[in-house]
Protein backbone atom coordinates (compact mmCIF):
# COMPACT_ATOMS: atom_id res chain seq x y z
CA UNK A 1 0.00 0.00 0.00
CA UNK A 2 2.93 2.39 0.40
CA UNK A 3 3.41 2.52 -3.39
CA UNK A 4 -0.28 3.15 -3.87
CA UNK A 5 -0.36 5.97 -1.33
CA UNK A 6 2.61 7.65 -3.01
CA UNK A 7 0.79 7.56 -6.35
CA UNK A 8 -2.38 8.92 -4.82
CA UNK A 9 -0.62 11.81 -3.10
CA UNK A 10 1.33 12.89 -6.20
CA UNK A 11 0.24 16.25 -7.54
CA UNK A 12 0.45 17.17 -11.20
CA UNK A 13 -0.32 20.72 -12.14
CA UNK A 14 -1.38 21.85 -15.61
CA UNK A 15 -1.87 25.59 -15.75
CA UNK A 16 -2.72 28.22 -18.30
CA UNK A 17 -1.90 31.81 -17.43
CA UNK A 18 -3.00 34.90 -19.37
CA UNK A 19 -1.30 38.25 -18.84
CA UNK A 20 -1.88 41.74 -20.13
CA UNK A 21 1.13 44.03 -20.12
CA UNK A 22 0.33 47.74 -20.27
CA UNK A 23 3.30 49.72 -21.55
CA UNK A 24 2.83 53.48 -21.37
CA UNK A 25 -0.85 53.23 -20.47
CA UNK A 26 -3.12 52.27 -23.34
CA UNK A 27 -0.63 53.24 -26.05
CA UNK A 28 1.17 49.89 -26.13
CA UNK A 29 -0.36 46.65 -24.88
CA UNK A 30 0.93 43.11 -25.01
CA UNK A 31 -0.99 39.87 -24.45
CA UNK A 32 0.89 36.79 -23.23
CA UNK A 33 -0.66 33.37 -22.68
CA UNK A 34 1.54 30.81 -20.93
CA UNK A 35 1.05 27.04 -20.75
CA UNK A 36 2.75 25.41 -17.77
CA UNK A 37 3.00 21.78 -16.65
CA UNK A 38 4.54 21.00 -13.25
CA UNK A 39 6.15 24.46 -12.95
CA UNK A 40 7.75 24.26 -16.41
CA UNK A 41 6.52 26.46 -19.23
CA UNK A 42 6.17 24.35 -22.35
CA UNK A 43 4.41 26.77 -24.72
CA UNK A 44 3.56 30.45 -24.95
CA UNK A 45 1.68 32.89 -27.15
CA UNK A 46 2.99 36.45 -27.27
CA UNK A 47 1.00 39.05 -29.22
CA UNK A 48 4.26 40.75 -30.22
CA UNK A 49 5.41 37.51 -31.90
CA UNK A 50 1.95 36.58 -33.27
CA UNK A 51 2.11 32.79 -32.94
CA UNK A 52 2.64 30.01 -30.40
CA UNK A 53 6.23 29.20 -29.45
CA UNK A 54 7.30 25.93 -27.81
CA UNK A 55 9.91 25.72 -25.07
CA UNK A 56 10.13 21.94 -24.56
CA UNK A 57 9.71 18.77 -26.60
CA UNK A 58 6.39 18.33 -24.81
CA UNK A 59 5.23 21.67 -26.21
CA UNK A 60 6.32 21.07 -29.83
CA UNK A 61 3.19 19.20 -30.87
CA UNK A 62 0.89 21.56 -29.00
CA UNK A 63 2.44 24.65 -30.61
CA UNK A 64 2.42 23.08 -34.07
CA UNK A 65 -1.25 22.18 -33.70
CA UNK A 66 -2.29 25.56 -32.24
CA UNK A 67 -0.47 27.39 -35.04
CA UNK A 68 -2.28 25.27 -37.64
CA UNK A 69 -5.79 26.23 -36.46
CA UNK A 70 -6.76 29.62 -37.95
CA UNK A 71 -9.59 30.23 -35.44
CA UNK A 72 -7.25 29.73 -32.49
CA UNK A 73 -4.67 32.11 -33.90
CA UNK A 74 -7.34 34.71 -34.69
CA UNK A 75 -8.69 34.51 -31.14
CA UNK A 76 -5.34 35.01 -29.41
CA UNK A 77 -4.14 37.63 -31.89
CA UNK A 78 -7.20 39.76 -31.17
CA UNK A 79 -6.96 39.24 -27.39
CA UNK A 80 -5.09 42.52 -27.02
CA UNK A 81 -8.24 44.35 -28.08
CA UNK A 82 -10.91 42.00 -26.74
CA UNK A 83 -9.33 41.26 -23.35
CA UNK A 84 -6.53 43.70 -22.50
CA UNK A 85 -7.95 46.93 -23.86
CA UNK A 86 -11.35 46.25 -22.27
CA UNK A 87 -9.73 45.37 -18.94
CA UNK A 88 -7.67 48.56 -19.05
CA UNK A 89 -10.69 50.73 -19.80
CA UNK A 90 -12.68 49.17 -16.96
CA UNK A 91 -9.93 49.23 -14.33
CA UNK A 92 -7.92 52.36 -15.19
CA UNK A 93 -10.29 54.89 -13.56
CA UNK A 94 -10.15 52.89 -10.33
CA UNK A 95 -6.39 52.33 -10.45
CA UNK A 96 -5.22 55.75 -11.64
CA UNK A 97 -7.33 57.70 -9.15
CA UNK A 98 -5.77 55.94 -6.14
Amino acid sequence: TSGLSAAVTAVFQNMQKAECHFINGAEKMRYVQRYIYNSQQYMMFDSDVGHFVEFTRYGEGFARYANSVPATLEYVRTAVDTICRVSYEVSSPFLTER
Side-chain angles (χ1 to χ4, degrees):
T1 59
S2 63
L4 179 59
S5 64
V8 172
T9 60
V11 175
F12 298 99
Q13 185 179 47
N14 191 15
M15 180 177 11
Q16 200 178 100
K17 186 176 180 183
E19 306 168 4
C20 291
H21 298 259
F22 304 107
I23 303 148
N24 198 12
E27 288 182 34
K28 173 79 172 123
M29 293 185 190
R30 179 177 167 218
Y31 177 75
V32 176
Q33 192 170 13
R34 301 176 191 277
Y35 296 82
I36 302 160
Y37 181 72
N38 282 353
S39 302
Q40 184 177 20
Q41 180 173 298
Y42 63 90
M43 181 174 75
M44 177 178 96
F45 176 85
D46 185 339
S47 62
D48 287 349
V49 176
H51 63 271
F52 289 90
V53 178
E54 76 277 352
F55 291 94
T56 65
R57 285 190 67 176
Y58 178 72
E60 285 179 22
F62 290 109
R64 188 172 35 255
Y65 176 74
N67 287 326
S68 72
V69 180
T72 301
L73 283 175
E74 181 182 350
Y75 173 78
V76 291
R77 286 178 179 160
T78 59
V80 170
D81 293 321
T82 59
I83 297 172
C84 296
R85 197 166 310 281
V86 171
S87 296
Y88 184 83
E89 291 170 1
V90 168
S91 61
S92 67
F94 173 76
L95 297 174
T96 56
E97 292 176 11
R98 291 189 169 246

